[in-house]
């Protein structure tokens, strides 16, 4: 797991641009604390920061492939190829020889053997840049689900690229500019494929590759959600999900460094931890999150039970080496933590949800370098409440925005300026929803109800999941932890996406297929546990800290986010009691505005 950066210019000699490339690469130092590498030729400069996970001694990058004493291709790469051993054997049979045990060298030789079609053979999470010295072309590749980030900015006569926007912003030819629609995206966390908040910046879309040549940048899809008939009955579907999960976890526990799981006590993380425990030769390590609170945990309509006790029960069931990381309101509200998360994400953050994840993973780094996590299970198996609420399913918008009308100025539930909300935010959401609908793969045989659930599932996988994956990658890499996400294996995604909704809810509950596939591995209290979202602190001390920061913004005429606010509504929000129903929606909005103000202050983008 690493950070990559680079520059292609067909108009310049980049061999003299070492300092520029070094500045770009060093913005990614947290992603790769174990090593740094640079490689340059006339029209290309590639940088790499390394977090050594596979073959620590032999996997240094950028890595070159030679033929007859000449460089043929050079790769800088971030990620893991889980089937690299099978690919290596196949390549050896084809005549390739290897000098290392790394998956990087296998990936590079796969490109030499199969050209751009090599991507269809990869099983993993990856952001890859390959410079083909024979054609003087750059290939950028991103994994199918977008687990690993990869940004690029076309320039006249070339391109800049990097694992994170900060690498591109370090270049003299790129500056931060943002449109009102970009601000709306930042506030709502809505991520369309290819979306980036800054003008001129793009993400390589999941399942796509970008080829850069003298004629410019061209993008091509090599994988995406596809609709096809599912003929397996319930028993076969459940057993297929189980066998896929066993194979996936077997592949993803391979590492030459300490490995652990992130265990919440929910169905997803418990399933992954149980499968890992069956595969590993030593007790699995696991980590859970908990909070200090004056009144202890109090159930509410969203979070009906606390994670930590059930995670400990699950760990005891498996004989895991388990740790609970307990955080206080003061730790979560610390300005240095907000600053660290902002640097990590290059985006306005989720307040205590991001801060707690950062502090948890910072503690994990003391005992492990690789962590398995349960992202994508809710999007794939139908875990969110929105999948099961008629109002959300039937809304003419993204299901998770179905309540947005309750936040709008007409209902007095938002502190955002009405003109900005009605003139920018809602139209932006509407446009992106229509784009998402147009991309949904369909079957003519689907009933109207099945058609809608296919649409809903597609939108969760292509619009919500990318935000979840980006959050987990950027925060984990900020502390030097590689997070692997077994539920993002494309074979599992393709299979479950096409299973009829009746199978996905065959027991009348959320995530029925997953529960049935792993129930024998789990205590009944875990297997039957109702879906609980990622934990949030209930300590009113944290909300008071957020309100103090929000009040300072309202009072500061120079606060950069202030023009986006309805000041009367903002002042009214500050008069309401701490800890009432607003704890969910209103606190989240205040957190978002506070972190948006931090983002605008740090990046000072030009508003266009």
């Amino acid at each position: 797991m690493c950070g990559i950066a680079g520059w292609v210019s067909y108009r310049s000699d980049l061999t003299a641009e070492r300092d520029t490339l070094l500045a770009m690469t060093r913005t990614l130092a947290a992603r790769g604390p174990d090593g740094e590498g640079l490689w340059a030729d006339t029209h290309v400069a590639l940088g790499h920061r390394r977090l050594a996970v596979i073959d620590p001694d032999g996997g240094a990058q950028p890595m070159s492939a030679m033929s007859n004493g000449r460089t043929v291709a050079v790769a800088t790469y971030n990620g893991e190829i889980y089937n690299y051993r099978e690919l290596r054997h196949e390549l050896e049979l084809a005549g390739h020889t290897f000098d290392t045990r790394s998956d990087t060298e296998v990936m590079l030789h796969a490109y030499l053997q199969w050209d751009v079609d090599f991507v269809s053979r990869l099983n993993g999470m990856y952001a890859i840049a390959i410079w083909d010295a024979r054609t003087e072309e750059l290939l950028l590749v991103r994994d199918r689900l977008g687990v690993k980030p990869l940004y690029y900015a076309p320039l006249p006569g070339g391109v800049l690229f990097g694992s994170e926007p900060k690498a591109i912003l370090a270049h003299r030819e790129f500056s931060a500019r943002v449109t009102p629609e970009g601000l709306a995206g930042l506030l709502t966390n809505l991520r369309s494929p290819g979306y980036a908040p800054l003008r001129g910046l793009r993400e390589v879309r999941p399942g796509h590759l970008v080829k850069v040549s003298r004629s410019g940048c061209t993008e091509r899809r090599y994988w995406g959600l596809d609709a096809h008939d599912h003929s397996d009955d319930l028993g076969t579907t459940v057993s297929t999900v189980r066998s896929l999960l066993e194979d996936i976890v077997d592949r993803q526990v391979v590492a030459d460094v300490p490995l652990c799981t992130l265990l919440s006590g929910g169905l997803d993380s418990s399933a992954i931890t149980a499968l890992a425990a069956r595969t590993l030769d030593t007790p699995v390590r696991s980590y859970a999150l908990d909070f200090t609170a004056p009144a202890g945990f109090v159930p509410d309509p969203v979070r009906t039970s606390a994670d930590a006790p059930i995670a400990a029960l699950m760990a005891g069931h498996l004989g895991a080496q388990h740790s609970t990381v307990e955080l206080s309101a003061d730790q979560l509200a610390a300005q240095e933590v907000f600053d660290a998360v902002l640097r990590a994400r290059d985006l306005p953050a989720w307040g205590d949800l991001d801060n707690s994840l950062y502090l948890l993973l910072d503690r994990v780094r003391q005992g492990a370098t690789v962590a398995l996590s349960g992202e994508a299970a809710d999007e794939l198996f139908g875990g969110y409440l929105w999948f099961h609420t008629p109002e959300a399913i039937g809304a003419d918008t993204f299901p998770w925005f179905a309540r947005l009308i309750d936040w709008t100025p007409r209902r007095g539930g938002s502190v955002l300026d009405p003109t900005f909300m009605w003139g920018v935010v809602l139209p932006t959401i509407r446009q992106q929803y229509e784009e998402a609908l147009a991309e949904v793969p369909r079957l003519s045989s689907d009933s109207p109800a099945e058609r809608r659930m296919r649409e809903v599932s597609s939108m969760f996988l292509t619009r919500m999941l990318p935000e979840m994956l980006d959050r987990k990658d950027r925060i984990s890499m900020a502390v030097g932890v590689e997070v692997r996400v077994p539920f993002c294996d494309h074979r599992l995604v393709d299979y479950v996406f096409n299973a009829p909704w009746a199978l996905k809810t065959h027991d009348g509950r959320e995530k029925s297929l997953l529960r049935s596939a792993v129930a024998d591995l789990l205590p009944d209290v875990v297997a039957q546990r109702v879906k609980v979202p990622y934990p949030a602190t209930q300590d009113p001390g944290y909300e008071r800290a957020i309100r103090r920061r929000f009040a300072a913004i309202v009072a500061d005429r120079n606060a950069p986010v202030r023009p986006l606010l309805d000041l009367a509504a903002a002042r009214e929000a500050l008069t309401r009691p701490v800890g009432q129903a607003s704890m969910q929606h209103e606190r989240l909005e205040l957190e978002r505005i506070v972190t948006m103000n931090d983002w605008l202050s740090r990046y000072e983008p030009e508003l266009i």
Side-chain angles (χ1 to χ4, degrees):
M1 194 58 58
C2 311
I4 67 176
W7 179 14
V8 170
S9 176
Y10 295 106
R11 301 179 178 181
S12 309
D13 183 350
L14 299 188
T15 57
E17 292 283 359
R18 178 182 173 87
D19 288 346
T20 302
L21 180 63
L22 195 60
M24 295 174 66
T25 304
R26 287 189 174 171
T27 65
L28 306 172
R31 295 185 71 91
D34 298 330
E36 178 178 71
L38 306 176
W39 184 90
D41 202 353
T42 306
H43 297 303
V44 62
L46 304 177
H48 189 265
R49 292 291 311 199
R50 188 179 187 210
L51 177 65
V53 173
I54 300 292
D55 191 10
D57 296 328
Q61 299 182 47
M63 182 176 287
S64 301
M66 311 292 291
S67 178
N68 298 320
R70 299 184 63 180
T71 300
V72 176
V74 185
T76 184
Y77 148 67
N78 165 34
E80 301 291 345
I81 307 300
Y82 301 125
N83 64 333
Y84 78 98
R85 290 172 171 170
E86 298 98 306
L87 289 174
R88 177 178 176 132
H89 179 67
E90 186 175 357
L91 290 165
E92 286 173 334
L93 293 177
H96 293 258
T97 58
F98 295 89
D99 297 320
T100 74
R101 297 184 296 106
S102 70
D103 59 340
T104 306
E105 189 178 17
V106 172
M107 177 272 296
L108 185 53
H109 280 259
Y111 169 74
L112 296 176
Q113 178 69 25
W114 297 300
D115 198 63
V116 295
D117 291 336
F118 84 106
V119 296
S120 65
R121 296 171 177 263
L122 303 182
N123 179 298
M125 56 179 189
Y126 44 83
I128 299 168
I130 298 176
W131 174 254
D132 193 319
R134 302 165 297 186
T135 60
E136 293 195 322
E137 293 178 334
L138 178 74
L139 185 68
L140 301 175
V141 183
R142 194 166 178 215
D143 65 70
R144 294 170 178 84
L145 273 296
V147 180
K148 306 315 299 175
L150 183 56
Y151 292 84
Y152 70 105
L155 298 176
V159 73
L160 303 171
F161 71 88
S163 292
E164 300 177 3
K166 59 176 65 71
I168 295 170
L169 284 164
H171 194 280
R172 61 181 177 271
E173 293 188 30
F174 189 85
S175 58
R177 299 183 302 156
V178 65
T179 64
E181 292 74 20
L183 292 177
L186 289 167
L187 280 168
T188 59
N189 285 116
L190 188 58
R191 300 179 67 88
S192 290
Y195 163 83
L198 300 177
R199 176 63 64 90
L201 185 68
R202 290 190 58 78
E203 270 192 308
V204 178
R205 291 166 62 107
H208 283 64
L209 56 85
V210 173
K211 182 172 282 190
V212 181
S213 67
R214 282 180 169 81
S215 59
C217 300
T218 58
E219 188 172 32
R220 192 189 94 188
R221 186 182 105 156
Y222 70 89
W223 185 87
L225 292 178
D226 192 17
H228 53 76
D229 289 319
H230 182 94
S231 58
D232 291 348
D233 62 16
L234 175 60
T236 304
T237 302
V238 169
S239 64
T240 301
V241 169
R242 173 61 172 265
S243 63
L244 281 168
L245 285 171
E246 288 176 343
D247 179 71
I248 292 164
V249 173
D250 283 350
R251 293 175 183 275
Q252 295 197 20
V253 296
V254 175
D256 294 331
V257 293
L259 175 141
C260 71
T261 70
L262 304 180
L263 177 61
S264 70
L267 178 63
D268 316 336
S269 64
S270 296
I272 295 302
T273 303
L275 289 166
R278 286 161 58 99
T279 299
L280 296 169
D281 295 330
T282 57
V284 64
R285 301 184 188 191
S286 58
Y287 290 83
L289 177 65
D290 200 8
F291 303 101
T292 60
F297 177 79
V298 179
D300 62 38
V302 176
R303 295 176 175 86
T304 56
S305 59
D307 282 349
I310 300 178
L313 183 151
M314 182 67 206
H317 175 75
L318 297 174
Q321 182 181 331
H322 186 66
S323 301
T324 299
V325 177
E326 191 171 83
L327 303 174
S328 69
D330 288 343
Q331 289 174 290
L332 293 168
Q335 186 60 52
E336 59 265 27
V337 177
F338 275 96
D339 292 342
V341 170
L342 177 63
R343 287 194 302 271
R345 295 211 62 190
D346 290 324
L347 295 168
W350 294 6
D352 76 308
L353 303 182
D354 279 359
N355 292 4
S356 65
L357 180 62
Y358 175 86
L359 293 167
L360 168 66
L361 289 165
D362 189 48
R363 191 78 60 84
V364 167
R365 186 64 172 94
Q366 299 174 21
T369 306
V370 175
L372 271 60
S373 186
E375 267 71 25
D378 286 312
E379 292 82 358
L380 184 58
F381 289 97
Y384 294 119
L385 183 62
W386 298 299
F387 277 100
H388 308 277
T389 305
E391 293 79 7
I393 296 169
D396 191 22
T397 187
F398 296 106
W400 55 96
F401 284 140
R403 287 185 59 250
L404 190 61
I405 190 65
D406 294 329
W407 307 353
T408 59
R410 288 183 183 176
R411 298 286 292 274
S414 176
V415 300
L416 290 176
D417 175 71
T419 301
F420 180 63
M421 174 68 85
W422 284 96
V424 180
V425 175
L426 296 181
T428 298
I429 292 172
R430 181 66 196 177
Q431 177 185 344
Q432 296 192 22
Y433 174 68
E434 291 174 354
E435 292 172 357
L437 272 183
E439 295 175 8
V440 175
R442 307 181 189 281
L443 280 180
S444 59
S445 58
D446 282 345
S447 67
E450 188 68 29
R451 174 188 175 93
R452 182 54 180 169
M453 294 315 300
R454 189 182 293 276
E455 291 173 348
V456 169
S457 296
S458 175
M459 286 186 285
F460 273 102
L461 288 166
T462 63
R463 264 59 181 184
M464 177 173 278
L465 181 59
E467 170 66 17
M468 300 296 184
L469 295 175
D470 184 81
R471 168 181 179 260
K472 185 60 70 73
D473 171 86
R474 301 286 285 280
I475 294 176
S476 64
M477 292 308 297
V479 296
V481 174
E482 172 184 298
V483 172
R484 299 177 179 179
V485 281
F487 290 112
C488 283
D489 186 289
H490 68 279
R491 299 168 299 162
L492 181 68
V493 171
D494 181 70
Y495 186 77
V496 175
F497 175 71
N498 283 287
W501 187 245
L503 292 185
K504 293 178 184 176
T505 55
H506 68 84
D507 63 0
R509 295 188 52 193
E510 79 285 357
K511 293 188 283 196
S512 305
L513 282 181
L514 178 58
R515 181 176 297 103
S516 296
V518 300
D520 64 302
L521 303 175
L522 313 175
D524 192 60
V525 68
V526 175
Q528 301 303 323
R529 190 185 184 200
V530 174
K531 161 69 182 173
V532 174
Y534 184 86
T537 181
Q538 296 182 328
D539 191 330
Y542 175 79
E543 186 177 355
R544 285 193 288 267
I546 290 297
R547 288 186 177 218
R548 285 194 294 270
R549 294 194 61 194
F550 182 73
I553 290 170
V554 172
D556 181 2
R557 293 181 180 272
N558 297 315
V561 81
R562 199 168 184 262
L564 301 180
L565 302 182
D566 179 335
L567 292 177
R571 294 186 180 104
E572 181 185 351
L574 289 169
T575 67
R576 287 193 276 273
V578 171
Q580 60 179 20
S582 63
M583 187 127 177
Q584 295 303 320
H585 148 59
E586 190 170 276
R587 192 184 88 180
L588 288 172
E589 188 178 42
L590 298 191
E591 285 178 309
R592 197 70 183 156
I593 289 166
V594 165
T595 60
M596 182 74 157
N597 196 67
D598 288 346
W599 183 84
L600 290 167
S601 299
R602 177 179 175 83
Y603 290 92
E604 298 182 320
E606 176 188 357
L607 302 181
I608 57 176

